Amino acid sequence: RFPAVCDILLAEYREYPELSCAMLTRCMISPVEETGLRPKQAVSFLKIFVALLQERALSHTGLKRLAIGLETALLMDSPKGLCGILAQR
């Protein structure tokens, strides 16, 4: 279920910026067994986060959620291999 919802949010993030931020960060910090998230999908999430930041589409709470969620995902290397991909870029 998570991958289908995340794909919809990736396409419609401008329409629902707060919901997209909340669900995508939640997906990144949830166990991979639960979400089925792959590292390349997580990189596309990061592109959406950058777009939301550039468009200033998030509230103060959304910015906190994004910062904490992204920090947690990177510390946990969730999904496995994300840190390696980011280090290579």
Side-chain angles (χ1 to χ4, degrees), residues 46-76:
L46 294 175
K47 290 177 184 177
I48 297 301
F49 296 151
V50 168
L52 288 171
L53 290 171
Q54 287 176 337
E55 295 170 8
R56 298 176 186 215
L58 297 174
S59 66
H60 184 70
T61 305
L63 288 171
K64 283 183 179 178
R65 182 180 297 116
L66 176 59
I68 292 169
L70 189 56
E71 175 188 23
T72 304
L74 291 173
L75 286 172
M76 294 171 35

Side-chain angles (χ1 to χ4, degrees), residues 4-13 16 19-20 23-24 48:
V5 171
C6 290
D7 288 340
I8 292 168
L9 290 173
L10 286 173
E12 301 292 330
Y13 73 92
Y16 309 103
L19 178 64
S20 297
M23 291 297 293
L24 296 177
I48 297 301

Side-chain angles (χ1 to χ4, degrees), residues 19-31:
L19 178 64
S20 297
C21 179
M23 291 297 293
L24 296 177
T25 53
R26 173 74 176 147
C27 187
M28 286 185 73
I29 63 172
S30 295

